[in-house]
């Protein structure tokens, strides 16, 4: 399969926000003297194979202190903790932590009464006004808000913070998130909430990419695309350790055939969307695709395989002494991904099961689908990292997808570019 042009490392040297976040992700293996100090941060940084994540509040040991009404309200609507809040899998079920409990129950009743239990969930919710969403999520009674309330209380009381300090810290966080959303609303008028499971980053990126009014990408037209599984697995036997997604567990399927089928489906569906003449028709068809769970999750297997393919290419180039993007140096400097085999076993195999993509792996995702991924990181508002681009210096012909990250774990999709912005 032909390889696209890759940005070279020259543009990476320096204090770019993308390079900084990659370093903060723990990509560089610590030396013996630093290992003990960094041990507690390895799980989030990719220093250990991922295990199922739970609400940070469940791990905090703290004393419950009665709060006055003002502090109680301030904690309830906080949206940021030192620990990244995970996805719906943290709660032992597939309920979306980004929705209120009463909303989830109403949907259940509707499905049972009108459609039946077999109706698949909507992976990307209908659009809503972006500031209305902000107010609802950070002031409402969502499972996410409840989790963050407990986590916030545990984090700050565990550090012996006083009540005024808790209140002040909270309002700084709240201001950052609301101001971040206000900034995004200058560019986009609406938002679409993405289902919060361990495919979140893949889902948000692929949905945005496939719903854009553009032709079929050239890399998908490559006739060798569907030959990749057999070619790579025959050369690298360790790829047979590939772990298919949860939707395919228990099914006796040949790995080569399944990946080939997934790549063929990705090409077919993308080509079908590209042929639609209007944005409305394409959006409707994309919505339908992402309510078909079997097809949707097959697409994720294809993208993960493309990520592995790109990782193998980058690793081989690095071993030959050729120039490679700087992120790939960091990617293979981790203790748990020193080569593509470890990357598969300890990271890619966990995606969709017990964890999502780490920050450093967002670069690899961008290279796999050859799209620039621009992310509004709300927790980094008013810093140089508020808008982070993967990769930092992409080829000019790469299309751009835009996402919103509230905690560097969950991604939503901004839609409807403001009229003045588009002009």
């Amino acid at each position: 399969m032909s390889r696209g042009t890759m940005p070279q490392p020259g543009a990476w040297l320096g204090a770019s926000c993308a390079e900084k976040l990659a370093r903060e992700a723990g990509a560089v293996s610590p030396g013996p003297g630093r290992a003990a100090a960094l041990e507690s941060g390895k799980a989030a940084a990719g220093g250990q194979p991922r295990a199922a994540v739970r609400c940070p509040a469940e791990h905090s040991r703290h004393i419950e202190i009665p709060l006055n009404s003002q502090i109680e309200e301030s904690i309830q609507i906080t949206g940021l903790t030192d620990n990244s809040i995970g996805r719906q899998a943290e709660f032992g079920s597939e309920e979306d932590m980004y929705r209120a409990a009463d909303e989830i129950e109403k949907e259940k009743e509707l499905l049972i009464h009108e459609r039946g239990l077999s109706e698949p969930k909507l992976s990307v919710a209908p659009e809503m006004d972006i500031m209305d969403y902000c107010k609802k999520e950070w002031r409402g009674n969502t499972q996410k808000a409840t989790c963050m309330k407990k986590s916030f209380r545990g984090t700050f009381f565990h550090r012996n913070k006083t009540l005024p300090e808790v209140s002040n810290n909270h309002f700084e966080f709240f201001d950052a998130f609301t101001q971040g959303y206000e900034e995004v609303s200058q560019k986009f008028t609406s938002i679409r909430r993405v289902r919060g499971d361990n495919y979140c980053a893949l889902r948000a990126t692929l949905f945005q990419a496939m719903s854009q009014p553009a032709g079929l990408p050239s890399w998908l037209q490559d006739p060798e695309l569907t030959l990749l599984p057999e070619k790579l697995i025959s050369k690298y036997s360790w790829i047979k350790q590939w772990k298919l997604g949860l939707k395919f567990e228990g099914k006796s399927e040949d790995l080569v055939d399944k990946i080939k089928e997934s790549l063929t489906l990705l090409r077919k569906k993308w080509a079908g969307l590209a042929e639609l003449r209007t944005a409305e028709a394409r959006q409707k068809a994309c919505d339908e695709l992402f309510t078909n769970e079997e097809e949707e999750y097959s697409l994720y297997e294809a993208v993960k395989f493309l990520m592995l393919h790109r990782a193998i290419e980058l690793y081989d180039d690095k071993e030959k002494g050729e120039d490679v993007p700087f992120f790939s140096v960091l990617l293979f400097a981790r203790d748990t991904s020193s080569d593509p085999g470890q990357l598969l076993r300890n990271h890619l195999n966990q995606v969709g099961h017990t964890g999502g993509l780490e920050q450093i792996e967002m670069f690899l995702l961008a290279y796999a689908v050859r799209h620039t991924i621009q992310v509004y990181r709300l927790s980094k508002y008013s810093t140089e990292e508020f808008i982070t681009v993967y990769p930092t210096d992409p080829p000019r012909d790469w299309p751009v997808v835009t996402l919103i990250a509230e905690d560097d774990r969950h991604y939503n999709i901004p839609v409807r570019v403001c009229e003045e912005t588009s002009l």
Side-chain angles (χ1 to χ4, degrees):
M1 180 176 180
S2 61
R3 296 164 59 172
T5 304
M6 294 185 181
Q8 297 307 311
W12 283 82
L13 302 179
S16 71
C17 63
E19 179 180 342
K20 181 178 179 182
L21 71 91
R23 292 184 184 278
E24 289 176 350
V28 179
S29 302
R34 297 178 59 209
L38 295 180
E39 187 66 27
S40 63
K42 275 189 174 182
Q48 295 290 347
R50 299 188 203 102
V53 186
R54 297 191 177 187
C55 172
E58 298 178 19
H59 300 292
S60 301
R61 296 183 179 179
H62 61 273
I63 300 174
E64 292 288 339
I65 300 176
L67 305 176
N68 61 40
S69 58
Q70 180 182 5
I71 302 302
E72 183 74 21
E73 170 65 15
S74 71
I75 292 179
Q76 181 178 4
I77 56 179
T78 188
L80 182 64
T81 65
D82 285 352
N83 297 311
S84 294
I85 305 300
R87 284 87 29 215
Q88 63 191 36
E90 301 168 358
F91 297 91
S93 71
E94 291 193 357
E95 301 298 355
D96 197 331
M97 67 183 292
Y98 290 79
R99 303 168 63 195
D102 58 347
E103 184 182 351
I104 294 173
E105 289 304 316
K106 286 180 180 178
E107 180 184 283
K108 282 183 178 179
E109 293 175 5
L110 181 64
L111 290 176
I112 293 173
H113 181 67
E114 296 184 357
R115 303 178 183 177
L117 291 172
S118 61
E119 181 74 13
K121 283 188 175 183
L122 186 65
S123 289
V124 181
E127 65 183 72
M128 67 180 297
D129 181 84
I130 199 165
M131 292 312 297
D132 287 346
Y133 170 85
C134 176
K135 293 174 183 177
K136 176 184 176 182
E137 289 301 303
W138 300 109
R139 294 184 182 276
N141 187 33
T142 63
Q143 193 174 36
K144 172 185 168 187
T146 301
C147 180
M148 287 187 170
K149 172 182 175 180
K150 293 178 182 178
S151 180
F152 185 87
R153 182 185 295 158
T155 298
F156 286 96
F157 286 142
H158 184 66
R159 296 182 179 181
N160 299 315
K161 298 288 187 180
T162 64
L163 292 180
E165 287 178 305
V166 172
S167 180
N168 290 336
N169 275 289
H170 152 66
F171 283 112
E172 289 179 7
F173 294 150
F174 179 75
D175 287 345
F177 274 74
T178 54
Q179 290 175 25
Y181 269 117
E182 288 173 355
E183 181 74 18
V184 178
S185 71
Q186 302 302 309
K187 304 290 185 181
F188 302 90
T189 63
S190 303
I191 189 171
R192 298 191 66 170
R193 186 180 62 233
V194 175
R195 183 178 175 185
D197 62 7
N198 293 316
Y199 286 108
C200 187
L202 294 179
R203 176 179 291 112
T205 300
L206 196 57
F207 185 90
Q208 278 284 66
M210 296 182 73
S211 61
Q212 289 182 346
L216 182 67
S218 59
W219 55 272
L220 273 175
Q221 300 177 36
D222 192 326
E224 294 186 12
L225 178 70
T226 55
L227 302 179
L228 274 178
E230 185 174 5
K231 177 182 177 181
L232 291 182
I233 292 176
S234 63
K235 184 176 182 180
Y236 306 102
S237 60
W238 48 263
I239 298 181
K240 294 178 181 179
Q241 300 175 48
W242 185 277
K243 187 176 183 181
L244 290 172
L246 292 171
K247 298 297 178 182
F248 307 105
E249 283 190 341
K251 297 182 180 180
S252 56
E253 298 189 51
D254 180 79
L255 180 60
V256 172
D257 290 342
K258 180 57 188 175
I259 300 300
K260 182 177 180 179
E261 175 187 315
S262 297
L263 290 168
T264 301
L265 181 67
L266 178 63
R267 173 193 282 163
K268 176 183 176 181
K269 292 299 180 179
W270 206 317
L273 290 167
E275 291 175 357
L276 298 176
R277 295 184 178 277
T278 66
E280 292 76 11
R282 185 164 187 163
Q283 191 64 69
K284 181 180 179 181
C286 200
D287 287 345
E288 292 176 355
L289 173 60
F290 281 78
T291 57
N292 185 325
E293 287 193 335
E294 185 170 354
E295 290 187 342
E296 177 189 349
Y297 288 94
S298 288
L299 298 181
Y300 302 147
E301 295 300 315
V303 174
K304 285 169 57 179
F305 192 82
L306 291 172
M307 291 175 67
L308 179 62
H309 175 231
R310 288 300 244 176
I312 291 173
E313 289 183 337
L314 292 168
Y315 180 80
D316 288 346
D317 287 346
K318 182 177 71 72
E319 291 298 292
K320 295 174 185 176
E322 298 179 9
D323 289 337
V324 293
F326 187 69
F327 88 88
S328 65
V329 176
L330 302 179
L331 180 70
F332 295 117
R334 297 187 297 184
D335 292 339
T336 53
S337 62
S338 59
D339 57 52
Q342 282 197 334
L343 176 68
L344 171 65
R345 291 188 295 272
N346 298 330
H347 296 273
L348 292 181
N349 270 350
Q350 310 311 315
V351 176
H353 290 267
T354 59
L357 294 184
E358 302 291 349
Q359 289 293 298
I360 191 67
E361 291 153 10
M362 290 295 290
F363 293 91
L364 188 59
L365 173 60
Y367 273 87
V369 296
R370 303 186 195 186
H371 277 64
T372 301
I373 305 175
Q374 175 181 265
V375 180
Y376 288 91
R377 303 172 70 206
L378 300 182
S379 62
K380 302 294 184 180
Y381 180 73
S382 77
T383 74
E384 63 178 7
E385 298 174 58
F386 175 55
I387 300 178
T388 300
V389 179
Y390 309 90
T392 299
D393 187 25
R396 292 184 178 182
D397 61 341
W398 281 13
V400 179
V401 298
T402 303
L403 310 178
I404 298 175
E406 293 181 340
D407 53 23
D408 285 344
R409 291 283 185 173
H410 184 83
Y411 297 86
N412 287 323
I413 299 172
V415 293
R416 295 201 180 277
V417 178
C418 295
E419 186 174 347
E420 61 271 21
T421 301
S422 63
L423 293 176

